[in-house]
Amino acid sequence: MSTVRRDNPLITTPGRPLPKRVAIIGAGTIGPDIGYYLLSSIPGLQLTLVDVAQDALDRAEARLNGYIAKGLKRRRLTEAQAEQVRSGLRTTLDYDAISDAEWVLEAATEDLPLKRKIFAAVEARVSDSTIITSNTSSLPAARIFSELKNKSRATVTHFFAPAFRNPAVEVIRYEACDDEVIEYLRWVFAATGKVPLETSDALCFMLDRIFDNWCNEAAYLLEHATASEVDSVAADYVHAGPFFVLNMA
C-alpha cells in the first residue's frame, strides 16, 4: 500500500494561487454562509452564487448584507472588507455564468440524482482545470462523481455549520481525485483560517458521525433542560449548540 505524504498545508508551496473566481451552486442554508467566508477571507474574490429560484438568491443576498452589518457593528470587518464582500458577490439563475470559475462548490440538497445532474451541468461549462467539490455531509465522493468525465479534479469539501464561523472543514481523499487537488484545497483552507480535516471516503465521513452521536446525547438532556439551555452551555465550548445547528438544516 502506498503512503501519501501529508505536509503541513501552511508550509507547502501550492501549484496555483488562491482562487479569484469561485462559484457556489445552491443559495439555501449553507451556500451563502460558505460564500461569506470566502468573500471575507480571499482578497479580490469574485463569487458567483447560482440557484434555480430567484427568491432563494434574494434571501441569500439579504443574509450576507446582515452578516456585513453585524461584522461592522462588532468591528470584525473594516469598511474596506465590507465593500469587498458586497462588490465581490454576483447572484444568477444562469449556469453559463460559472464558465470562468476556478473552483465550483455545490451546496444543494442531499439528493444523489440532483447532485449528479448539477455536476453534469457544471462539467459541461467549466474548463478542464476547474476544481469541483461538493459540500455533502454524508454521500461518498465515489458515488457523487461517478458519472463525471474527469473525476481527478473533484472531491468533497464538507463545511460544518455555521460555515462562515466554524473552522472545521473536511477534505475527502479518495482514489479518483489527484493528490495535487487535495493538497491545494488543504492549503486554501489553512491559508484562509479554516482547519482542514482530511477524511477517507466513508459514508457520513467523520464530522457527521460525531455530530449525530452528539445530538443523540443532547436529546437525552431534554429531560433536564431546554434546548436553548443545552445550546447555551455547548456554545461555551464549540461554535454552535446541537439544536441550533439542527434548526439550520
Side-chain angles (χ1 to χ4, degrees), residues 72-235:
L72 288 170
K73 183 177 181 180
R74 296 180 178 178
R75 297 184 179 180
R76 292 177 179 172
L77 285 180
T78 65
E79 287 289 351
Q81 289 172 320
E83 180 55 32
Q84 173 181 303
V85 175
R86 293 191 198 98
S87 63
L89 177 66
R90 174 175 60 166
T91 63
T92 182
L93 301 171
D94 186 3
Y95 269 72
D96 288 341
I98 71 172
S99 61
D100 64 346
E102 300 163 63
W103 175 17
V104 177
L105 195 156
E106 170 270 322
T109 305
E110 292 286 72
D111 181 302
L112 183 57
L114 173 62
K115 289 181 183 294
R116 286 175 173 170
K117 181 179 179 181
I118 288 172
F119 287 123
V122 169
E123 190 172 42
R125 289 168 170 81
V126 299
S127 73
D128 289 339
S129 63
T130 299
I131 293 174
I132 299 173
T133 69
S134 172
N135 183 59
T136 180
S137 63
S138 58
L139 298 172
R143 294 189 193 177
I144 292 178
F145 302 116
S146 64
E147 297 178 359
L148 283 186
K149 296 176 182 176
N150 180 7
K151 302 177 182 64
S152 64
R153 40 80 173 273
T155 191
V156 170
T157 49
H158 172 221
F159 293 78
F160 205 66
F164 66 92
R165 193 167 70 224
N166 195 312
V169 56
E170 290 179 293
V171 180
I172 307 307
R173 187 182 292 274
Y174 79 115
E175 60 182 11
C177 186
D178 282 349
D179 288 340
E180 182 181 344
V181 172
I182 302 295
E183 295 308 316
Y184 173 72
L185 289 168
R186 291 177 66 231
W187 173 78
V188 168
F189 290 132
T192 54
K194 292 291 187 184
V195 179
L197 306 172
E198 186 181 315
T199 310
S200 61
D201 195 29
L203 190 67
C204 294
F205 313 122
M206 176 176 64
L207 287 180
D208 236 28
R209 295 183 181 205
I210 296 171
F211 178 69
D212 289 348
N213 283 287
W214 187 45
C215 289
N216 288 340
E217 293 299 317
Y220 286 123
L221 294 176
L222 293 177
E223 295 181 3
H224 310 286
T226 66
S228 61
E229 288 171 338
V230 173
D231 278 352
S232 178
V233 173

Side-chain angles (χ1 to χ4, degrees), residues 41-63:
S41 60
I42 300 179
L45 180 70
Q46 294 297 308
L47 179 78
T48 302
L49 183 60
V50 184
D51 202 280
V52 295
Q54 184 60 49
D55 60 340
L57 293 171
D58 293 342
R59 288 193 300 270
E61 192 164 4
R63 185 192 299 182

Side-chain angles (χ1 to χ4, degrees), residues 7-14 183 186-187:
D7 292 327
N8 183 330
L10 288 175
I11 61 173
T12 59
T13 302
E183 295 308 316
R186 291 177 66 231
W187 173 78

